[in-house]
Amino acid sequence: MPLNNLGKTDYVRFTGSRNLRHRLVCATLTSRAVRIDDIRAQGTSNPGLRAYEASLLRLLDKITNGSEIIINESGTSLKYKPGVIVGGKRLTHDCGLGRGLGYYVEALCAIGIFGKKPMEITLFGLTNDDEEVSVDTFRTVTLPMLKKRFGCDDGLSLHVAKRGCPPDGGGEVKLSFPIAKELPGGIDWVTEGLVKRVRGVAFTARIPPQMANRLVDGARGVLNNFLPDVYIFTDHHNGKEGGNSPAYGISLVAETTEGCVLGSDCSSASTRKEREKEEDEGRLLLDHRGGTNTKDHEENAEEEDQSQKTPEDYGRECAEALVSEIQRGGVCDSSHQALVLTLLACSPDQICRVRLGQLTPRSIQCLRTIRAFFGVTFNIQPEPESGTVFLSCVGAGMRNVAKRAT
């Protein structure tokens, strides 16, 4: 080897901030260094990494040993050399208020089972917001899917100790992950089945518990038109268990005859508008006649409409979203497509198949990221009659080399 190549790092290179979380997850799983440039470098007065992305990097550093993270002064360039996934007990992490805990839990679901030791971690932040998958959906959809389809049986759990909603958070979630030597091989998950029942939970935090009953009424008004077996629990939190901000929301799960679970959720807690305002700052045109932003009127009108929503509206909205997921088809809902594809890429070097609904833009980006890190390419075969697609691949044969010998 030439002397000038000693110590040189072979980076997987990307540009832009899109799909940054999945890139970091794939880098950690494959132990490959990644470099991401031009992170919000143009078109915004606030360039670089956001606070929630920096928080994710700190979380990855906590659960690994030997990771190296280099960020330039402006935050527009990131170098990440992952270390060994260690895991461990009594870990804690404050996720902040920029993103819901679902942003971090999804990353941990892909990484946690490949640790050297079982992981027990407590996350603090927003348990429910209007952008990330809620912790209720992770508990009732994601974890059962991991247990049944990917062999993560013993020790996998999620407990919501405290609710936390925007703007002030205060939530607390306790997660436990077992360790796996490798994932099951030859996964053939293509049968959806028919929906046999719907379950759910309607929560209230620091507001009267009657709001939960109104959420249930709104959801049942839609779902009882399709099937009679609908049961939605109510979950009231007050005092410290209710977090620092009042809010309410609902999470629904449809179970099929083949054991598939599809989820949707909706919450009165909103953080998206503040983030969109931050993203768009410096890019919106000004109205030269009045000297004001022409988009302000539209945003004010939208916020006014948002404030006029009733709990029944949120319940109906969540139920209609669940019906749309069922109509979309596939063995999992659209929010879980990326996680399923990533785990299939990690599976042993055998042919795996899965049937999904119409691929989301995020899932398409994830397929590209998987090819860059794992070298795994999915064969996609659409089925026009049902509108679903079959995806098949040969897994990368990833094994948990950090696991202690027993």
Side-chain angles (χ1 to χ4, degrees):
M1 179 183 294
L3 293 178
N4 57 0
N5 286 334
L6 289 176
K8 185 177 180 180
T9 303
D10 183 19
Y11 288 100
V12 181
R13 295 176 178 266
F14 295 97
T15 57
S17 61
R18 292 189 62 184
N19 214 29
L20 186 140
R21 173 181 55 176
H22 192 245
R23 293 168 181 173
L24 296 177
V25 168
C26 289
T28 305
L29 290 172
T30 58
S31 298
R32 298 185 63 184
V34 61
R35 175 171 178 170
I36 306 175
D37 296 310
D38 296 332
I39 302 174
R40 301 183 184 90
Q42 299 178 354
T44 176
S45 61
N46 185 18
L49 292 169
R50 296 292 180 255
Y52 59 85
E53 293 167 336
S55 180
L56 177 61
L57 287 168
R58 291 193 296 270
L59 176 59
L60 294 177
D61 187 52
K62 283 184 180 180
I63 65 175
T64 59
N65 185 19
S67 295
E68 182 179 343
I69 302 170
I70 302 175
I71 305 173
N72 68 349
E73 293 182 358
S74 62
T76 57
S77 180
L78 164 67
K79 294 180 181 179
Y80 173 58
K81 297 180 184 178
V84 178
I85 304 172
V86 177
K89 297 183 178 181
R90 294 184 292 275
L91 299 174
T92 61
H93 182 69
D94 186 355
C95 299
L97 304 177
R99 272 281 174 90
L101 292 181
Y103 181 82
Y104 307 88
V105 174
E106 182 174 339
L108 290 176
C109 285
I111 296 173
I113 58 177
F114 291 101
K116 183 177 181 180
K117 297 178 289 186
M119 184 189 304
E120 295 180 3
I121 185 169
T122 301
L123 303 178
F124 302 95
L126 303 174
T127 58
N128 302 82
D129 69 352
D130 67 339
E131 184 167 354
E132 297 301 326
V133 177
S134 71
V135 294
D136 300 291
T137 301
F138 275 104
R139 180 174 53 84
T140 57
V141 177
T142 311
L143 299 194
M145 179 184 71
L146 292 176
K147 291 178 181 179
K148 183 171 183 178
R149 299 296 176 178
F150 297 99
C152 305
D153 295 327
D154 299 329
L156 184 62
S157 66
L158 185 152
H159 172 66
V160 182
K162 298 179 182 179
R163 291 283 176 181
C165 300
D168 298 324
E172 179 180 337
V173 171
K174 298 180 180 179
L175 278 164
S176 298
F177 294 97
I179 53 175
K181 186 175 182 181
E182 63 181 0
L183 297 176
I187 297 175
D188 190 33
W189 192 17
V190 296
T191 307
E192 305 162 296
L194 301 175
V195 175
K196 61 180 180 179
R197 62 174 172 247
V198 172
R199 296 292 182 264
V201 56
F203 81 90
T204 55
R206 302 179 71 88
I207 60 174
Q210 290 80 6
M211 289 293 188
N213 297 327
R214 296 176 62 183
L215 287 166
V216 174
D217 291 340
R220 291 183 66 94
V222 175
L223 296 174
N224 284 142
N225 295 325
F226 300 96
L227 75 166
D229 193 356
V230 178
Y231 190 84
I232 304 173
F233 300 87
T234 57
D235 184 22
H236 178 63
H237 294 263
N238 207 352
K240 294 182 178 179
E241 292 185 355
N244 301 326
S245 296
Y248 54 84
I250 185 170
S251 172
L252 298 174
V253 181
E255 303 177 21
T256 74
T257 54
E258 296 295 331
C260 299
V261 283
L262 311 173
S264 68
D265 51 62
C266 188
S267 170
S268 65
S270 177
T271 58
R272 179 179 300 175
K273 292 182 180 63
E274 296 177 4
R275 284 195 291 271
E276 287 180 344
K277 184 177 180 181
E278 180 185 13
E279 295 285 345
D280 293 338
E281 185 179 359
R283 290 186 294 176
L284 302 178
L285 296 177
L286 296 179
D287 185 355
H288 297 289
R289 291 173 297 179
T292 59
N293 195 325
T294 57
K295 193 175 179 180
D296 287 344
H297 303 290
E298 299 176 5
E299 289 185 348
N300 292 335
E302 185 180 357
E303 290 177 1
E304 184 177 353
D305 293 340
Q306 183 83 2
S307 64
Q308 294 176 355
K309 276 190 177 182
T310 64
E312 290 83 359
D313 293 332
Y314 285 106
R316 283 191 293 269
E317 182 179 332
C318 186
E320 291 169 356
L322 182 64
V323 173
S324 297
E325 291 290 350
I326 297 171
Q327 185 179 17
R328 180 191 295 265
V331 297
C332 70
D333 56 60
S334 57
S335 63
H336 287 83
Q337 289 181 358
L339 178 61
V340 169
L341 294 173
T342 303
L343 293 177
L344 288 181
C346 295
S347 63
D349 53 352
Q350 302 175 23
I351 296 178
C352 302
R353 288 200 311 161
V354 68
R355 180 177 187 169
L356 302 178
Q358 182 181 1
L359 293 178
T360 63
R362 181 191 167 205
S363 299
I364 295 173
Q365 289 290 331
C366 289
L367 288 174
R368 295 168 180 161
T369 305
I370 289 171
R371 182 178 60 183
F373 282 99
F374 292 92
V376 172
T377 302
F378 282 81
N379 180 32
I380 304 176
Q381 294 181 341
E383 187 182 66
E385 295 180 359
S386 63
T388 59
V389 292
F390 292 91
L391 292 97
S392 59
C393 72
V394 177
M398 179 177 169
R399 298 174 65 88
N400 188 355
V401 296
K403 180 181 178 182
R404 289 179 175 177
T406 56

